[in-house]
Structure formats: C-alpha cells, structure tokens
Amino acid sequence: MTDLCVLSADDEAARERLDAAAAGMLALTRTWSGHNTGSQNTDGLRRFAPMLAEAFAALEADIALVEGPGFELIGADGKATETHTGPIVEISSRPDAPVQVVMSGHYDTVFAPGIFESVTDLGDGRINGPGMADMKGGICVMLEALKAFEAGRLKDKLGYRIVLTPDEEIGNFASGESLRRAASSGAVIGMTYEPAMETGAMAGGRKGSAVFDIVLHGRAAHAGRAKEEGRSAIEAAAELVLGLEALNNQFNGVTFNVGSVEGGSPVNIVPDLAIVRFGARAPDQQAAEWATQQVRALFDRALRRDGIHGHLHGGFYRPPKPRNAAQQALFDAVHATGRAIGLDIEFVDTGGVCEGNNIFAAGVPNVDTLGVRGGRIHSSDEFVITESFPERALLSTLILNRLADGRMDGRRIKDLMGR
C-alpha cells in the first residue's frame, strides 16, 4: 500500500488541474441544481438529460441517451399501471483498454416540482440546494475527475462505462439492466458518486432493500343497515400492518417499515379496498430470503380472512452488498490513496442502498460514496460543502491513475469476490 500513499508526477498534475477547476465545478452544480429533476417529473428529466450529454461531451467518449423500459407502479385504485421516466445516459470510452471500470450516478432527486427549487449560499463554505449533494454534485465530481485523468498520460491504459440514471431514488426499475450490462462488460471495479458523509466518511457494507405493495379487497356494504354483510379491507390491512411491524428485531439486521396505508371510503360504507405500502432492509441474502418468506406468510394469512382477496407486488429489488474480501481490499486501497492527499477515510456500514448494490450483484466490487461531502439529503435542508469538490474529484482521479499504472491491482481485487 506504500505506493498508493505517495503522489506521482501524474497525481501532482491532476491536483493542479482540479484546483484550477474548483470554481467551475461549483458553478456547474449550482446551475444543474436549478433544474427540477424529481423522479416523477418526466418532462424535467427529459429536459435535463441533454444537458448532461453536452457536459460529458468534453470527454473522449461515446454518449447515448437511451429510453429505458416501462415499469409497473400500483396506483391509489390498487391497479398496476406502466410508468416511464427520463432517458438513461450511457457513456463509454476505450472499451479495449487493458483496465476497465464502471461508473454510475443518478440525476433524479426526491423533490417534486414546486417542493424545493432554490439554491442558497449558507455561508461557512456550505450551499443549500436540491441535488447539490445527492447527487448532481457527485456527477460533476465524476466528470471533472475523468477530464483530469484524460488530460494525463495514462488515459490509454484505462477505459470506462458510465451509466447516469433517472430513477435511482425510486429503485432503478427502468435503468437496472443498463447498470448490470455496464458492470458485466469487463469492469474490475465500480465507482459510484453518492455523497460522502459530512465528515468525509464513506459507506462500507450496505443492506439490501425491498419495496412491497399489498392490495387487499373486501366487500362493501352499508355500515348501518348491513354491516355484517361487509368485509373490511382496512381491518385486514390493520392486522397485516401490526404483523409486519412485529417482525422487527426477529432476525438480526432485518427491519420493516410500513410507509403508508391507502384506501377506504365514507364512514357509512364498509371499505372494500386497502393498499399497504412498506419497505424492508436485510444485511445479507439469507436475511432477505427470511424477510420475503415472512411477508408471504402474512399475506397468505390476510387472504384466509373471510371475504378478503388481493395481490402482492414487489420484493428485494436491490440485493445486499455486504463486506467481503474484495470489498475490503478495495476499501483498503481507497483509504491508502486518500492518505496521499491527507484524507483518513473511514468506511461505515449503513442501512442505505444505492446503485453500488446493483453493481455488486453483477459481480463487481465497488466504492459508492465518491461524491461530494454534504448532509441533510432528502430534505429541504440539503447542503454541500464547497471545498469538497476538488478534494473528491482528486480522490477519484488518483484512483483512476493507480488502476491505470498498476499501483492498484483491480484484477486482484475483483478475483477476491468469491471469497
């Protein structure tokens, strides 16, 4: 690891380029943050994707805007409808280079139009704005790191595939196959640009994530004249909710959370529709299988109630990403690389999920919080720490330099995936 901790001439040149680019990185992210790209704002996503393509045209790469497949969502009426989102931005360069990496990021945010659309300088080196940290700032870091790498003498030794997705915040249901395909095209490691923590700590192991919708149908009846003829879908849903929440703490590391219960009717009608929407997190595959079995058992119990029928949708759309030998070797290499620029990076296991889970599932070890430092993401208090733009871009360029010149042995790291 000694060589990883030392700056080479290529590294020093990258530092100079990125220090000079710092103000431009911040300005570009502020501009991007001013464009609403909420996951359900299809028009906004479609307007923004060409802006990304234009920015990434500065690279020596091929760029395509790809329409992803439709995916099902359960509406308030309990029916499944096909939904479409914005285009997937796919970028590739030097596919025949001896070392290949896969890079990913998302340009959607959790903020619908009109919810949070202003960018505000908070002072003290912090800027508040939608996506400034999660993760338009991260995409900007990715872009500038690649520009710095391609300005150096090592570029012909490393190729990359990038997937910028419009639907990460709702599960990558349209872009999941693009991520899998890019990761499966010879990549030795993956690099994803979710924000780092405010302290600079990065994500280690990640749990797997599931989203479920259970639709329950009962039988409507007049609540005054013929209550006994009705069968309440909400009563069945209430029992189901209690059963789901009772699963917490029953299997190590598995959590359930009921996010909403929808349905019902006026109080003088026995309700014949209820929708229970909930999520689950699991630290490994065994835990995910247990969680799924428990959900099915509770659903089956609900259907055994007199007059109740329904359907179950969803499951573990992102498998767990536990620490294994390959992940730990990559974390150690990134930690040593960070030391070269004065960073003492800590890797912290988390219950959160991201596209790193998808890339891991495709057999590629990855580090997935290479973006800017920030905090309060998924809230109107989201902020980015401005000094982290050149810092984090330099960290990525140094990783690319070390993969290209052999100081970081990507193939050896990937070979540890089965251990």
Side-chain angles (χ1 to χ4, degrees), residues 55-129:
F56 277 79
L59 301 175
E60 298 177 10
D62 297 321
I63 303 171
L65 300 183
V66 179
E67 293 295 328
F71 55 96
E72 284 190 346
L73 290 180
I74 303 300
D77 60 359
K79 297 179 180 178
T81 58
E82 186 172 84
T83 301
H84 291 267
T85 184
I88 303 158
V89 184
E90 296 187 356
I91 303 166
S92 64
S93 182
R94 298 180 292 278
D96 297 324
V99 178
Q100 296 290 317
V101 299
V102 58
M103 308 173 86
S104 74
H106 64 89
Y107 65 94
D108 63 322
T109 72
V110 299
F111 306 108
I115 299 298
F116 171 38
E117 296 185 319
S118 61
V119 179
T120 304
D121 191 336
L122 301 176
D124 196 28
R126 299 183 180 204
I127 292 180
N128 161 248

XYZ file of all heavy atoms in Angstrom, residues 55-129:
542
model
N -22.406 18.249 -21.323
C -21.271 18.405 -20.413
C -20.260 17.273 -20.585
O -19.044 17.517 -20.627
C -21.766 18.455 -18.965
N -20.738 16.034 -20.714
C -19.834 14.892 -20.828
C -19.220 14.781 -22.220
O -18.318 13.972 -22.430
C -20.554 13.597 -20.433
C -20.591 13.371 -18.947
C -21.501 14.027 -18.145
C -19.682 12.507 -18.343
C -21.520 13.834 -16.776
C -19.693 12.301 -16.968
C -20.616 12.971 -16.170
N -19.671 15.603 -23.163
C -19.054 15.628 -24.491
C -17.617 16.127 -24.431
O -16.859 15.973 -25.393
C -19.885 16.493 -25.434
N -17.224 16.724 -23.295
C -15.839 17.151 -23.118
C -14.883 15.960 -22.992
O -13.663 16.133 -23.117
C -15.726 18.037 -21.882
N -15.415 14.770 -22.766
C -14.594 13.564 -22.646
C -14.371 12.930 -24.018
O -15.116 13.179 -24.967
C -15.277 12.552 -21.726
C -15.580 13.002 -20.301
C -16.361 11.912 -19.569
C -14.306 13.355 -19.538
N -13.377 12.070 -24.074
C -13.132 11.286 -25.287
C -13.986 10.029 -25.195
O -13.495 8.944 -24.898
C -11.649 10.953 -25.409
C -10.760 12.188 -25.533
C -9.279 11.845 -25.583
O -8.946 10.645 -25.714
O -8.461 12.773 -25.483
N -15.281 10.183 -25.440
C -16.210 9.094 -25.168
C -17.397 9.149 -26.112
O -17.709 10.189 -26.706
C -16.693 9.177 -23.716
N -18.062 8.001 -26.233
C -19.322 7.914 -26.968
C -20.470 8.084 -25.980
O -20.452 7.497 -24.891
C -19.438 6.560 -27.667
C -18.356 6.359 -28.722
O -18.035 7.335 -29.426
O -17.831 5.232 -28.837
N -21.490 8.851 -26.360
C -22.588 9.182 -25.461
C -23.906 8.870 -26.140
O -24.100 9.186 -27.319
C -22.561 10.674 -25.076
C -21.212 11.032 -24.425
C -23.710 11.018 -24.128
C -21.016 12.511 -24.201
N -24.806 8.226 -25.406
C -26.132 7.912 -25.939
C -27.184 8.177 -24.871
O -26.963 7.918 -23.681
C -26.199 6.455 -26.392
N -28.320 8.700 -25.306
C -29.492 8.824 -24.439
C -30.416 7.668 -24.781
O -30.926 7.581 -25.902
C -30.196 10.160 -24.663
C -29.364 11.424 -24.404
C -30.223 12.671 -24.590
C -28.756 11.411 -23.020
N -30.626 6.788 -23.817
C -31.319 5.525 -24.050
C -32.646 5.521 -23.299
O -32.697 5.816 -22.095
C -30.454 4.329 -23.594
C -31.189 3.016 -23.817
C -29.115 4.336 -24.324
N -33.706 5.176 -23.997
C -35.009 5.052 -23.356
C -35.082 3.718 -22.613
O -34.917 2.657 -23.215
C -36.135 5.135 -24.385
C -36.260 6.495 -25.044
C -36.652 7.584 -24.058
O -37.391 7.281 -23.089
O -36.220 8.735 -24.247
N -35.318 3.765 -21.329
C -35.440 2.540 -20.547
C -36.819 1.933 -20.688
O -37.758 2.573 -21.182
N -36.982 0.704 -20.261
C -38.296 0.064 -20.341
C -39.260 0.661 -19.329
O -38.855 1.276 -18.331
C -37.980 -1.401 -19.996
C -36.773 -1.314 -19.105
C -35.961 -0.174 -19.652
N -40.534 0.488 -19.584
C -41.529 0.883 -18.600
C -41.517 -0.068 -17.415
O -40.991 -1.178 -17.487
N -42.074 0.372 -16.307
C -42.155 -0.468 -15.115
C -43.476 -0.196 -14.422
O -44.091 0.860 -14.607
C -40.985 -0.214 -14.167
C -40.812 1.224 -13.760
C -41.342 1.697 -12.570
C -40.116 2.107 -14.568
C -41.190 3.021 -12.195
C -39.953 3.441 -14.204
C -40.492 3.904 -13.021
N -43.917 -1.167 -13.636
C -45.234 -1.076 -13.009
C -45.198 -0.316 -11.685
O -44.285 -0.496 -10.882
C -45.804 -2.474 -12.757
C -46.329 -3.164 -13.988
C -47.100 -4.424 -13.663
O -47.011 -4.916 -12.515
O -47.801 -4.917 -14.559
N -46.207 0.496 -11.488
C -46.473 1.111 -10.193
C -47.925 0.837 -9.823
O -48.793 0.780 -10.701
C -46.236 2.623 -10.240
C -44.787 3.101 -10.374
C -44.745 4.624 -10.411
C -43.924 2.578 -9.219
N -48.161 0.660 -8.535
C -49.519 0.423 -8.050
C -50.156 1.756 -7.691
O -49.667 2.486 -6.831
C -49.515 -0.515 -6.826
C -48.817 -1.841 -7.175
C -50.939 -0.769 -6.349
C -49.469 -2.606 -8.308
N -51.261 2.070 -8.344
C -51.940 3.327 -8.103
C -52.842 3.278 -6.887
O -53.010 2.242 -6.235
N -53.465 4.418 -6.596
C -54.359 4.511 -5.438
C -55.608 3.665 -5.603
O -56.301 3.390 -4.618
C -54.744 5.970 -5.204
N -55.878 3.223 -6.844
C -57.029 2.345 -7.081
C -56.663 0.871 -6.957
O -57.497 -0.005 -7.177
C -57.630 2.615 -8.462
C -56.631 2.386 -9.599
O -55.459 2.035 -9.314
O -57.016 2.573 -10.768
N -55.385 0.598 -6.601
C -54.937 -0.776 -6.439
C -54.550 -1.461 -7.737
O -54.185 -2.634 -7.723
N -54.592 -0.740 -8.842
C -54.275 -1.334 -10.141
C -52.863 -0.975 -10.568
O -52.369 0.121 -10.277
C -55.279 -0.865 -11.196
C -56.707 -1.308 -10.917
C -57.662 -0.786 -11.984
C -59.098 -1.220 -11.705
N -60.048 -0.684 -12.719
N -52.221 -1.897 -11.270
C -50.873 -1.674 -11.773
C -50.931 -0.925 -13.094
O -51.713 -1.262 -13.981
C -50.154 -3.002 -11.960
N -50.121 0.121 -13.206
C -50.019 0.872 -14.449
C -48.560 0.979 -14.855
O -47.667 1.040 -14.002
C -50.606 2.283 -14.304
O -49.915 2.974 -13.241
C -52.084 2.235 -13.982
N -48.318 0.986 -16.162
C -46.945 1.100 -16.655
C -46.500 2.556 -16.612
O -47.216 3.453 -17.058
C -46.834 0.558 -18.077
C -45.392 0.536 -18.575
C -45.232 -0.181 -19.899
O -45.456 0.475 -20.947
O -44.889 -1.372 -19.893
N -45.316 2.782 -16.082
C -44.766 4.120 -15.911
C -43.445 4.223 -16.660
O -42.678 3.259 -16.728
C -44.543 4.424 -14.421
O -45.792 4.323 -13.737
C -43.971 5.807 -14.215
N -43.181 5.401 -17.206
C -41.907 5.659 -17.877
C -41.242 6.862 -17.223
O -41.900 7.709 -16.610
C -42.120 5.910 -19.374
C -42.565 4.690 -20.119
N -41.687 3.837 -20.744
C -43.802 4.169 -20.302
C -42.365 2.843 -21.303
N -43.655 3.026 -21.045
N -39.933 6.927 -17.372
C -39.182 8.015 -16.758
C -38.288 8.649 -17.826
O -38.533 8.493 -19.021
C -38.376 7.486 -15.559
O -37.717 8.574 -14.918
C -37.367 6.437 -15.953
N -37.278 9.384 -17.401
C -36.389 10.036 -18.352
C -35.400 9.078 -18.976
O -35.330 7.899 -18.619
N -34.601 9.564 -19.931
C -33.624 8.702 -20.596
C -32.451 8.358 -19.687
O -32.091 9.101 -18.778
C -33.172 9.532 -21.796
C -33.418 10.942 -21.395
C -34.620 10.925 -20.504
N -31.852 7.222 -19.966
C -30.627 6.785 -19.305
C -29.460 7.306 -20.133
O -29.428 7.140 -21.363
C -30.566 5.244 -19.216
C -31.802 4.708 -18.491
C -29.287 4.786 -18.524
C -32.100 3.256 -18.798
N -28.507 7.957 -19.485
C -27.336 8.485 -20.190
C -26.229 7.438 -20.098
O -25.733 7.147 -19.006
C -26.873 9.819 -19.594
C -25.713 10.394 -20.403
C -28.030 10.819 -19.539
N -25.866 6.856 -21.241
C -24.831 5.826 -21.285
C -23.614 6.375 -22.017
O -23.724 6.910 -23.125
C -25.352 4.562 -21.975
C -26.502 3.901 -21.225
C -26.903 2.562 -21.818
O -26.332 2.167 -22.859
O -27.803 1.905 -21.243
N -22.454 6.228 -21.381
C -21.208 6.801 -21.891
C -20.139 5.708 -21.859
O -20.027 4.973 -20.877
C -20.774 7.993 -21.018
C -21.895 9.044 -20.965
C -19.479 8.612 -21.535
C -21.707 10.077 -19.871
N -19.371 5.593 -22.914
C -18.303 4.589 -22.932
C -17.069 5.149 -23.614
O -17.163 5.980 -24.530
C -18.755 3.311 -23.638
O -19.039 3.562 -25.001
N -15.920 4.684 -23.163
C -14.653 5.140 -23.714
C -13.608 4.042 -23.598
O -13.515 3.377 -22.563
C -14.166 6.387 -22.966
O -12.961 6.872 -23.503
N -12.875 3.845 -24.655
C -11.753 2.905 -24.717
C -12.120 1.510 -24.212
O -11.525 1.001 -23.264
C -10.543 3.477 -23.946
C -10.038 4.785 -24.532
C -8.847 5.330 -23.776
N -9.188 5.774 -22.447
C -9.719 6.967 -22.144
N -9.985 7.836 -23.101
N -9.990 7.292 -20.904
N -13.102 0.875 -24.826
C -13.527 -0.453 -24.358
C -12.469 -1.532 -24.519
O -12.608 -2.606 -23.929
C -14.758 -0.748 -25.224
C -14.563 0.073 -26.453
C -13.889 1.329 -25.999
N -11.422 -1.268 -25.295
C -10.356 -2.255 -25.481
C -9.143 -1.993 -24.601
O -8.136 -2.718 -24.703
C -9.923 -2.268 -26.956
C -11.047 -2.701 -27.885
O -11.841 -3.580 -27.486
O -11.157 -2.143 -28.994
N -9.205 -0.988 -23.746
C -8.075 -0.713 -22.845
C -7.900 -1.881 -21.873
O -8.854 -2.589 -21.542
C -8.323 0.586 -22.087
N -6.688 -2.096 -21.384
C -6.430 -3.263 -20.521
C -7.161 -3.242 -19.184
O -7.415 -4.297 -18.601
C -4.908 -3.231 -20.322
C -4.493 -1.850 -20.691
C -5.451 -1.373 -21.717
N -7.500 -2.077 -18.660
C -8.225 -1.971 -17.395
C -9.549 -1.279 -17.673
O -9.597 -0.251 -18.352
C -7.421 -1.173 -16.340
C -8.230 -1.033 -15.053
C -6.085 -1.845 -16.064
N -10.637 -1.848 -17.145
C -11.969 -1.283 -17.340
C -12.626 -1.024 -15.987
O -12.499 -1.824 -15.063
C -12.849 -2.245 -18.153
C -12.365 -2.494 -19.573
C -12.539 -1.276 -20.448
O -13.570 -0.604 -20.412
N -11.522 -0.980 -21.257
N -13.340 0.112 -15.892
C -14.116 0.404 -14.697
C -15.540 0.760 -15.121
O -15.783 1.166 -16.265
C -13.510 1.565 -13.869
C -12.115 1.213 -13.394
C -13.503 2.861 -14.667
N -16.473 0.585 -14.194
C -17.848 1.029 -14.408
C -18.132 2.137 -13.408
O -17.766 2.034 -12.232
C -18.854 -0.129 -14.256
C -18.772 -0.788 -12.885
C -20.277 0.361 -14.516
N -18.744 3.208 -13.896
C -19.042 4.362 -13.059
C -20.545 4.644 -13.146
O -21.149 4.459 -14.210
C -18.232 5.572 -13.504
C -16.741 5.271 -13.614
S -15.768 6.621 -14.318
C -15.449 7.600 -12.859
N -21.122 5.076 -12.052
C -22.564 5.323 -12.080
C -22.937 6.505 -11.205
O -22.206 6.891 -10.281
C -23.346 4.081 -11.644
O -23.248 3.877 -10.251
N -24.091 7.052 -11.528
C -24.667 8.143 -10.762
C -26.096 8.349 -11.206
O -26.529 7.782 -12.208
N -26.842 9.165 -10.481
C -28.236 9.413 -10.851
C -28.497 10.900 -10.896
O -27.946 11.677 -10.108
C -29.197 8.723 -9.880
C -29.147 9.226 -8.467
N -29.922 10.276 -8.020
C -28.427 8.812 -7.390
C -29.686 10.482 -6.723
N -28.774 9.616 -6.325
N -29.353 11.295 -11.842
C -29.667 12.714 -11.958
C -31.070 13.048 -11.480
O -31.483 14.207 -11.532
C -29.409 13.220 -13.380
C -30.270 12.662 -14.489
C -31.424 13.320 -14.897
C -29.895 11.511 -15.187
C -32.198 12.840 -15.942
C -30.650 11.033 -16.237
C -31.802 11.697 -16.619
O -32.563 11.228 -17.662
N -31.811 12.057 -10.997
C -33.096 12.370 -10.383
C -32.892 12.752 -8.918
O -31.877 12.401 -8.300
C -34.075 11.205 -10.506
C -33.625 9.947 -9.768
O -32.404 9.649 -9.766
O -34.474 9.236 -9.206
N -33.846 13.488 -8.384
C -33.854 13.831 -6.961
C -35.192 13.396 -6.374
O -36.090 12.958 -7.093
C -33.676 15.350 -6.725
O -34.879 16.021 -7.100
C -32.502 15.906 -7.517
N -35.316 13.556 -5.078
C -36.570 13.181 -4.404
C -37.587 14.322 -4.414
O -38.691 14.165 -3.889
C -36.316 12.745 -2.946
C -35.405 11.541 -2.892
C -35.746 13.896 -2.123
N -37.247 15.450 -5.024
C -38.069 16.650 -4.889
C -38.946 16.871 -6.117
O -38.449 17.093 -7.228
C -37.185 17.874 -4.664
C -36.244 17.722 -3.502
C -34.886 17.554 -3.719
C -36.727 17.717 -2.205
C -34.018 17.401 -2.648
C -35.870 17.563 -1.125
C -34.506 17.402 -1.348
N -40.250 16.811 -5.908
C -41.198 17.092 -6.982
C -41.179 18.587 -7.312
O -40.727 19.405 -6.507
C -42.604 16.667 -6.563
N -41.661 18.977 -8.494
C -41.713 20.401 -8.842
C -42.466 21.213 -7.796
O -43.509 20.802 -7.294
C -42.456 20.398 -10.183
C -42.162 19.064 -10.773
C -42.125 18.115 -9.606
N -41.903 22.357 -7.455
C -42.545 23.257 -6.500
C -42.247 22.963 -5.048
O -42.637 23.730 -4.171
N -41.536 21.869 -4.763
C -41.273 21.485 -3.371
C -40.034 22.194 -2.828
O -40.044 22.780 -1.750
C -41.104 19.957 -3.252
C -42.377 19.245 -3.705
C -40.740 19.569 -1.832
C -43.596 19.576 -2.873
N -38.940 22.157 -3.566
C -37.657 22.698 -3.104
C -36.846 22.960 -4.361
O -36.312 22.045 -4.965
C -36.987 21.677 -2.184
C -35.560 21.997 -1.783
C -35.145 23.288 -1.513
C -34.637 20.964 -1.653
C -33.838 23.561 -1.136
C -33.330 21.221 -1.260
C -32.926 22.522 -1.007
N -36.761 24.220 -4.771
C -36.160 24.523 -6.067
C -35.141 25.649 -6.025
O -34.612 26.024 -7.060
C -37.262 24.858 -7.078
C -38.191 23.679 -7.368
C -39.202 23.980 -8.465
O -39.738 25.100 -8.460
O -39.437 23.112 -9.310
N -34.827 26.177 -4.856
C -33.904 27.312 -4.775
C -32.529 26.863 -4.305
O -32.371 25.856 -3.622
C -34.458 28.367 -3.810
O -34.594 27.830 -2.509
N -31.524 27.633 -4.712
C -30.144 27.408 -4.294
C -29.724 28.592 -3.431
O -29.839 29.747 -3.848
C -29.211 27.268 -5.513
C -27.766 27.060 -5.058
C -29.665 26.116 -6.400
N -29.233 28.313 -2.226
C -28.940 29.364 -1.257
C -27.548 29.183 -0.682
O -27.190 28.077 -0.239
C -29.961 29.338 -0.102
O -31.276 29.447 -0.633
C -29.708 30.484 0.861
N -26.760 30.238 -0.699
C -25.439 30.215 -0.067
C -25.630 30.399 1.438
O -26.107 31.444 1.904
C -24.569 31.332 -0.648
C -23.110 31.187 -0.233
O -22.834 30.560 0.811
O -22.235 31.699 -0.957
N -25.275 29.378 2.198
C -25.460 29.413 3.652
C -24.293 30.066 4.373
O -24.350 30.274 5.589
C -25.650 27.989 4.189
C -26.823 27.190 3.619
C -26.811 25.764 4.177
C -28.145 27.874 3.921
N -23.225 30.376 3.635
C -22.026 30.867 4.285
C -21.241 29.716 4.886
O -21.664 28.553 4.891
N -20.063 29.996 5.386
C -19.224 28.994 6.041
C -18.939 27.820 5.106
O -18.803 26.672 5.538
C -19.878 28.495 7.331
C -18.893 27.758 8.240
O -17.695 28.075 8.169
O -19.330 26.870 8.995
N -18.866 28.110 3.784
C -18.487 27.073 2.826
C -19.551 26.037 2.567
O -19.225 24.916 2.159
N -20.831 26.411 2.749
C -21.925 25.470 2.510
C -22.971 26.115 1.604
O -23.275 27.301 1.739
C -22.598 25.047 3.819
C -21.650 24.348 4.781
C -22.373 23.877 6.027
N -21.460 23.212 6.932
C -21.834 22.325 7.849
N -23.122 22.024 7.994
N -20.958 21.749 8.637
N -23.512 25.296 0.714
C -24.569 25.760 -0.173
C -25.724 24.780 -0.096
O -25.551 23.564 -0.167
C -24.069 25.897 -1.620
C -23.051 27.041 -1.699
C -25.228 26.152 -2.580
C -22.488 27.265 -3.070
N -26.916 25.338 0.067
C -28.149 24.573 0.179
C -28.855 24.555 -1.176
O -29.005 25.592 -1.819
C -29.032 25.230 1.248
C -30.498 24.833 1.164
O -31.336 25.666 0.836
N -30.813 23.610 1.472
N -29.265 23.373 -1.619
C -29.983 23.292 -2.889
C -30.334 21.855 -3.223
O -29.673 20.913 -2.762
